[in-house]
Amino acid sequence: MPMAADDIVAAITQALPGAEVEMRDLAGDNDHWAAKVTAPQFAGKSRVQQHKMVYDALGGRMGGELHALQLTTQAPN
């Protein structure tokens, strides 16, 4: 069963308090997502570190319950 957008947002915001998450369904199947995550915890971190923080927030769901996630991350301005 695919992972719903609300569940993805909840997992990310629970792990990264204050994060803003924008979700977009890329294929209309609730299984291929694009997420833009803006979080204060990203300040001073490389893109690789930022993406790892999001993947850690999702636990072991990537590749299983969450099939595909196009990820854009940034620290707030």
Side-chain angles (χ1 to χ4, degrees), residues 26-59:
L26 295 174
D29 61 1
N30 290 323
D31 203 22
H32 296 80
W33 295 104
K36 179 180 178 184
V37 182
T38 304
Q41 295 87 342
F42 294 158
K45 304 268 195 261
S46 70
R47 292 270 185 240
V48 171
Q49 290 170 316
Q50 293 173 11
H51 285 211
K52 183 177 182 330
M53 291 170 75
V54 173
Y55 292 135
D56 288 348
L58 295 169

Side-chain angles (χ1 to χ4, degrees), residues 14-33:
Q14 181 177 4
L16 301 169
E20 294 179 18
V21 183
E22 299 173 33
M23 297 295 298
R24 189 167 43 105
D25 187 347
L26 295 174
D29 61 1
N30 290 323
D31 203 22
H32 296 80
W33 295 104

